[in-house]
Amino acid sequence: LSQMIIDDHQRANERLATVAQEVNIQPITQVPEQKRQVQEILLAMPEEDFKKAYLSHLKGSHLMAICMYQDQ
């Protein structure tokens, strides 16, 4: 599962970089502070807790993104 998520996000980032270049937008190159803090919290957890918390965070993040795009 982890490798599939990594691969999916790498492909998405490559596509987004292409689109950003086409429309002359400079993509961000650093992880925003809030996301970095979430990463630190997740990485400090024991493995079993990490898996549950990460999947919960992932679902919530994707639902927020879907809602954001549906509102446009």
Side-chain angles (χ1 to χ4, degrees):
L1 176 64
S2 299
Q3 191 59 53
M4 183 179 71
I5 292 170
I6 291 168
D7 292 345
D8 287 349
H9 282 88
Q10 285 177 336
R11 279 192 300 274
N13 285 338
E14 289 167 3
R15 178 67 182 129
L16 288 170
T18 300
V19 171
Q21 187 176 21
E22 290 172 0
V23 296
N24 201 29
I25 295 174
Q26 182 66 35
I28 62 169
T29 56
Q30 295 181 351
V31 177
E33 180 63 22
Q34 183 179 11
K35 290 184 184 245
R36 191 187 60 71
Q37 289 175 353
V38 170
Q39 287 175 342
E40 287 179 10
I41 291 167
L42 289 171
L43 291 172
M45 293 180 173
E47 185 176 351
E48 274 308 307
D49 294 340
F50 168 83
K51 288 177 184 179
K52 291 175 187 173
Y54 176 74
L55 289 175
S56 176
H57 173 73
L58 193 63
K59 288 177 188 176
S61 295
H62 282 88
L63 285 174
M64 285 176 43
I66 290 167
C67 289
M68 236 174 44
Y69 291 111
Q70 286 178 339
D71 288 344
Q72 292 183 359

